[in-house]
Amino acid sequence: LVFMCSSRRRHTRCSRDWSSDVCSSDLVVNPDKQKFDANLNYKIPILLAYRIREFITTVRKCMLSLKGFNEAVTLDRIFLSARNGHPLNDASVSDIFGKAFKAIGTTQARTSTHALRRKFAQDRIQINFEQRAELKLDTSDASVAASVSMELGQHNPDSLKPYVARTQQMLVNKLHQEKSQLIKKLVEENFRLRSELDDLKNKIKDS
C-alpha cells in the first residue's frame, strides 16, 4: 500500500510493509515535507489509510479521467485543484476548511485546519492527564507536554504549554462542576430521606 497524503505544511508519502506488524491498527507515516525540515514518523489508523486509498482509486481517479489531467501534474498528492489537477497549496486547503467551518456556523475568526490540530492536542492532553492521575504518575505541565509533544511532532514541548494550561483548567472546571452536581444530588437525597423519615414518624405516632 503506497499513497500520498497532503495536509497543511506537510506533504506525506505513506508506505506499508505488510510483511511485518500486520495486526497493528496503525500505519507509520514519514512525511516527505515537514515543518522546519523535521524527519518524524507519525501513526494514522489503518482504517483511515484504507479510506484514503479508496478515495484515490475512485473519486480522485474519476476526476482526473473526466478532466483529462495527466497523473504527472499531480505530483502524487491526494487533494488536487479541479481547475488544473495540480496539488492544492496550503492557502487553498486553509480556505476550503475556513469556508466549511463558516458553513456550519462557526463564529471564531480565522478558523481553519489548525482547529483540528488544536482539538487533537486538547484531547490527547486530557487523556494523558487522566491516565497519569489514575496511575499516580507525574501530572505536571512539563511531563504532560513532553509526552504529548511526541505525538504532535513538536520538538519543543514548551510550545504545548498554552494547550496544557487550558486543558488543565478545563479539567479543573469539569471536576468542580461534577462535584457540585454530586453535592446537589446528595442534598436532595438527604432532604427526601428526611421527609420520608418524618412521614414514618408521624404514621407511627398516629397508629
CSV table of all heavy atoms in Angstrom, one decimal, residues 95-127:
chain,number,residue,atom,x,y,z
A,95,ASP,N,-8.3,27.7,3.1
A,95,ASP,CA,-9.5,28.4,2.6
A,95,ASP,C,-10.7,27.5,2.5
A,95,ASP,O,-11.8,27.9,2.9
A,95,ASP,CB,-9.2,29.0,1.2
A,95,ASP,CG,-10.4,29.9,0.8
A,95,ASP,OD1,-10.8,30.8,1.5
A,95,ASP,OD2,-10.9,29.6,-0.3
A,96,ILE,N,-10.5,26.3,2.1
A,96,ILE,CA,-11.6,25.3,2.0
A,96,ILE,C,-12.1,25.0,3.4
A,96,ILE,O,-13.3,24.9,3.6
A,96,ILE,CB,-11.1,24.0,1.3
A,96,ILE,CG1,-10.8,24.3,-0.2
A,96,ILE,CG2,-12.1,22.9,1.4
A,96,ILE,CD1,-10.1,23.2,-0.9
A,97,PHE,N,-11.2,24.7,4.3
A,97,PHE,CA,-11.7,24.4,5.6
A,97,PHE,C,-12.3,25.6,6.3
A,97,PHE,O,-13.3,25.5,7.1
A,97,PHE,CB,-10.5,23.9,6.5
A,97,PHE,CG,-10.2,22.4,6.3
A,97,PHE,CD1,-9.4,21.9,5.3
A,97,PHE,CD2,-10.8,21.5,7.2
A,97,PHE,CE1,-9.2,20.6,5.2
A,97,PHE,CE2,-10.6,20.1,7.1
A,97,PHE,CZ,-9.8,19.7,6.1
A,98,GLY,N,-11.8,26.8,6.0
A,98,GLY,CA,-12.4,28.0,6.6
A,98,GLY,C,-13.8,28.2,6.2
A,98,GLY,O,-14.7,28.5,7.0
A,99,LYS,N,-14.1,27.9,4.9
A,99,LYS,CA,-15.4,28.1,4.3
A,99,LYS,C,-16.3,27.0,4.9
A,99,LYS,O,-17.5,27.2,5.2
A,99,LYS,CB,-15.4,27.9,2.8
A,99,LYS,CG,-14.8,29.1,2.1
A,99,LYS,CD,-14.7,28.9,0.6
A,99,LYS,CE,-14.1,30.2,-0.1
A,99,LYS,NZ,-14.0,30.0,-1.5
A,100,ALA,N,-15.8,25.8,5.1
A,100,ALA,CA,-16.6,24.7,5.7
A,100,ALA,C,-16.9,25.0,7.2
A,100,ALA,O,-18.1,24.8,7.6
A,100,ALA,CB,-15.8,23.4,5.7
A,101,PHE,N,-16.0,25.5,7.9
A,101,PHE,CA,-16.3,25.9,9.3
A,101,PHE,C,-17.3,27.0,9.4
A,101,PHE,O,-18.2,27.0,10.2
A,101,PHE,CB,-15.0,26.4,10.0
A,101,PHE,CG,-14.2,25.3,10.5
A,101,PHE,CD1,-12.9,25.1,10.1
A,101,PHE,CD2,-14.6,24.4,11.5
A,101,PHE,CE1,-12.1,24.0,10.5
A,101,PHE,CE2,-13.8,23.4,12.0
A,101,PHE,CZ,-12.6,23.2,11.5
A,102,LYS,N,-17.2,28.0,8.4
A,102,LYS,CA,-18.2,29.0,8.4
A,102,LYS,C,-19.6,28.5,8.0
A,102,LYS,O,-20.6,29.0,8.5
A,102,LYS,CB,-17.7,30.1,7.3
A,102,LYS,CG,-18.6,31.3,7.3
A,102,LYS,CD,-18.0,32.4,6.3
A,102,LYS,CE,-18.9,33.6,6.3
A,102,LYS,NZ,-18.3,34.6,5.3
A,103,ALA,N,-19.6,27.5,7.1
A,103,ALA,CA,-20.9,27.0,6.7
A,103,ALA,C,-21.7,26.3,7.8
A,103,ALA,O,-22.9,26.2,7.8
A,103,ALA,CB,-20.7,26.0,5.5
A,104,ILE,N,-20.9,25.7,8.8
A,104,ILE,CA,-21.6,25.0,9.9
A,104,ILE,C,-21.8,26.0,11.1
A,104,ILE,O,-22.2,25.5,12.2
A,104,ILE,CB,-20.8,23.8,10.4
A,104,ILE,CG1,-19.4,24.2,10.9
A,104,ILE,CG2,-20.7,22.8,9.3
A,104,ILE,CD1,-18.6,23.1,11.5
A,105,GLY,N,-21.6,27.3,10.9
A,105,GLY,CA,-21.9,28.3,11.9
A,105,GLY,C,-20.9,28.6,12.9
A,105,GLY,O,-21.2,29.2,13.9
A,106,THR,N,-19.6,28.3,12.6
A,106,THR,CA,-18.5,28.7,13.5
A,106,THR,C,-18.4,30.2,13.5
A,106,THR,O,-18.3,30.8,12.4
A,106,THR,CB,-17.2,28.0,13.1
A,106,THR,OG1,-17.4,26.6,13.1
A,106,THR,CG2,-16.1,28.4,14.0
A,107,THR,N,-18.3,30.8,14.7
A,107,THR,CA,-18.2,32.2,14.8
A,107,THR,C,-16.8,32.7,15.1
A,107,THR,O,-16.5,33.9,15.0
A,107,THR,CB,-19.1,32.7,16.0
A,107,THR,OG1,-18.7,32.1,17.2
A,107,THR,CG2,-20.6,32.4,15.7
A,108,GLN,N,-15.9,31.8,15.4
A,108,GLN,CA,-14.5,32.2,15.6
A,108,GLN,C,-13.8,32.7,14.4
A,108,GLN,O,-14.0,32.1,13.3
A,108,GLN,CB,-13.7,31.0,16.1
A,108,GLN,CG,-13.9,30.7,17.6
A,108,GLN,CD,-12.9,29.6,18.1
A,108,GLN,OE1,-13.0,28.5,17.6
A,108,GLN,NE2,-12.1,29.9,19.0
A,109,ALA,N,-13.1,33.7,14.5
A,109,ALA,CA,-12.4,34.3,13.4
A,109,ALA,C,-11.2,33.5,13.0
A,109,ALA,O,-10.5,32.8,13.8
A,109,ALA,CB,-11.9,35.7,13.7
A,110,ARG,N,-11.0,33.4,11.7
A,110,ARG,CA,-9.8,32.7,11.1
A,110,ARG,C,-9.7,31.2,11.5
A,110,ARG,O,-8.7,30.7,11.8
A,110,ARG,CB,-8.5,33.4,11.5
A,110,ARG,CG,-8.5,34.8,11.0
A,110,ARG,CD,-7.2,35.5,11.4
A,110,ARG,NE,-6.0,34.8,10.8
A,110,ARG,CZ,-4.8,35.2,11.0
A,110,ARG,NH1,-4.5,36.1,11.9
A,110,ARG,NH2,-3.8,34.5,10.4
A,111,THR,N,-10.9,30.6,11.6
A,111,THR,CA,-10.9,29.1,11.9
A,111,THR,C,-10.5,28.3,10.7
A,111,THR,O,-11.1,28.5,9.6
A,111,THR,CB,-12.3,28.7,12.4
A,111,THR,OG1,-12.7,29.5,13.5
A,111,THR,CG2,-12.3,27.2,12.8
A,112,SER,N,-9.5,27.4,10.8
A,112,SER,CA,-9.1,26.7,9.7
A,112,SER,C,-8.6,25.3,10.1
A,112,SER,O,-9.0,24.8,11.1
A,112,SER,CB,-8.0,27.4,8.9
A,112,SER,OG,-6.8,27.5,9.8
A,113,THR,N,-7.7,24.7,9.3
A,113,THR,CA,-7.3,23.3,9.6
A,113,THR,C,-6.6,23.3,11.0
A,113,THR,O,-6.5,22.2,11.6
A,113,THR,CB,-6.3,22.9,8.5
A,113,THR,OG1,-5.3,23.9,8.4
A,113,THR,CG2,-7.0,22.7,7.2
A,114,HIS,N,-6.0,24.4,11.4
A,114,HIS,CA,-5.3,24.3,12.7
A,114,HIS,C,-6.3,24.0,13.9
A,114,HIS,O,-5.8,23.5,14.9
A,114,HIS,CB,-4.6,25.7,13.0
A,114,HIS,CG,-3.6,25.6,14.1
A,114,HIS,ND1,-2.4,25.0,14.0
A,114,HIS,CD2,-3.7,26.1,15.4
A,114,HIS,CE1,-1.8,25.1,15.2
A,114,HIS,NE2,-2.5,25.8,16.0
A,115,ALA,N,-7.6,24.3,13.7
A,115,ALA,CA,-8.6,24.0,14.7
A,115,ALA,C,-8.6,22.4,15.0
A,115,ALA,O,-8.8,22.0,16.1
A,115,ALA,CB,-9.9,24.5,14.3
A,116,LEU,N,-8.4,21.6,13.9
A,116,LEU,CA,-8.4,20.2,14.1
A,116,LEU,C,-7.2,19.7,14.9
A,116,LEU,O,-7.3,18.9,15.7
A,116,LEU,CB,-8.4,19.5,12.7
A,116,LEU,CG,-9.5,19.9,11.8
A,116,LEU,CD1,-9.4,19.2,10.4
A,116,LEU,CD2,-10.9,19.6,12.4
A,117,ARG,N,-6.0,20.4,14.6
A,117,ARG,CA,-4.8,20.1,15.3
A,117,ARG,C,-5.0,20.5,16.8
A,117,ARG,O,-4.6,19.7,17.7
A,117,ARG,CB,-3.6,20.8,14.7
A,117,ARG,CG,-2.3,20.6,15.5
A,117,ARG,CD,-1.2,21.3,14.8
A,117,ARG,NE,0.1,21.2,15.5
A,117,ARG,CZ,0.9,20.2,15.4
A,117,ARG,NH1,0.6,19.1,14.7
A,117,ARG,NH2,2.0,20.1,16.1
A,118,ARG,N,-5.6,21.6,17.0
A,118,ARG,CA,-5.8,22.1,18.4
A,118,ARG,C,-6.7,21.1,19.1
A,118,ARG,O,-6.5,20.8,20.3
A,118,ARG,CB,-6.4,23.5,18.3
A,118,ARG,CG,-6.6,24.2,19.7
A,118,ARG,CD,-6.8,25.7,19.5
A,118,ARG,NE,-7.9,26.0,18.7
A,118,ARG,CZ,-7.8,26.6,17.5
A,118,ARG,NH1,-6.6,27.0,17.0
A,118,ARG,NH2,-8.9,26.9,16.8
A,119,LYS,N,-7.8,20.7,18.5
A,119,LYS,CA,-8.7,19.7,19.1
A,119,LYS,C,-8.0,18.4,19.4
A,119,LYS,O,-8.2,17.9,20.5
A,119,LYS,CB,-9.9,19.5,18.1
A,119,LYS,CG,-10.9,18.4,18.6
A,119,LYS,CD,-11.6,18.9,19.9
A,119,LYS,CE,-12.9,18.1,20.2
A,119,LYS,NZ,-12.6,16.7,20.4
A,120,PHE,N,-7.2,17.9,18.5
A,120,PHE,CA,-6.4,16.7,18.7
A,120,PHE,C,-5.5,16.9,19.9
A,120,PHE,O,-5.4,16.0,20.8
A,120,PHE,CB,-5.6,16.3,17.5
A,120,PHE,CG,-4.7,15.1,17.7
A,120,PHE,CD1,-5.3,13.8,17.7
A,120,PHE,CD2,-3.4,15.2,17.9
A,120,PHE,CE1,-4.5,12.7,17.8
A,120,PHE,CE2,-2.6,14.1,18.1
A,120,PHE,CZ,-3.1,12.9,18.1
A,121,ALA,N,-4.8,18.0,20.0
A,121,ALA,CA,-3.9,18.3,21.1
A,121,ALA,C,-4.6,18.3,22.4
A,121,ALA,O,-4.2,17.7,23.4
A,121,ALA,CB,-3.2,19.6,20.9
A,122,GLN,N,-5.8,19.0,22.5
A,122,GLN,CA,-6.5,19.1,23.7
A,122,GLN,C,-7.0,17.7,24.2
A,122,GLN,O,-7.0,17.4,25.3
A,122,GLN,CB,-7.7,20.0,23.5
A,122,GLN,CG,-7.3,21.5,23.4
A,122,GLN,CD,-8.5,22.4,23.0
A,122,GLN,OE1,-9.5,21.9,22.6
A,122,GLN,NE2,-8.3,23.7,23.2
A,123,ASP,N,-7.5,16.9,23.2
A,123,ASP,CA,-8.0,15.6,23.5
A,123,ASP,C,-6.9,14.7,24.1
A,123,ASP,O,-7.0,14.0,25.1
A,123,ASP,CB,-8.6,14.9,22.3
A,123,ASP,CG,-9.9,15.5,21.9
A,123,ASP,OD1,-10.5,16.3,22.7
A,123,ASP,OD2,-10.4,15.2,20.8
A,124,ARG,N,-5.7,14.7,23.4
A,124,ARG,CA,-4.6,13.9,23.9
A,124,ARG,C,-4.1,14.4,25.2
A,124,ARG,O,-3.7,13.6,26.1
A,124,ARG,CB,-3.4,14.0,22.9
A,124,ARG,CG,-3.7,13.3,21.5
A,124,ARG,CD,-4.2,11.9,21.7
A,124,ARG,NE,-3.3,11.1,22.4
A,124,ARG,CZ,-3.6,9.9,23.0
A,124,ARG,NH1,-4.8,9.5,23.0
A,124,ARG,NH2,-2.6,9.3,23.7
A,125,ILE,N,-4.0,15.7,25.5
A,125,ILE,CA,-3.6,16.2,26.8
A,125,ILE,C,-4.6,15.8,27.9
A,125,ILE,O,-4.1,15.3,28.9
A,125,ILE,CB,-3.5,17.7,26.7
A,125,ILE,CG1,-2.3,18.2,25.8
A,125,ILE,CG2,-3.3,18.3,28.1
A,125,ILE,CD1,-2.3,19.6,25.5
A,126,GLN,N,-5.9,15.8,27.6
A,126,GLN,CA,-6.8,15.4,28.6
A,126,GLN,C,-6.7,13.9,28.9
A,126,GLN,O,-6.7,13.5,30.1
A,126,GLN,CB,-8.3,15.7,28.1
A,126,GLN,CG,-9.3,15.3,29.1
A,126,GLN,CD,-10.7,15.7,28.6
A,126,GLN,OE1,-10.9,16.6,27.8
A,126,GLN,NE2,-11.7,15.1,29.2
A,127,ILE,N,-6.6,13.1,27.9
A,127,ILE,CA,-6.4,11.7,28.1
A,127,ILE,C,-5.1,11.4,28.9
A,127,ILE,O,-5.1,10.6,29.8
A,127,ILE,CB,-6.3,10.9,26.8
A,127,ILE,CG1,-7.7,11.0,26.1
A,127,ILE,CG2,-5.9,9.5,27.0
A,127,ILE,CD1,-7.7,10.4,24.7
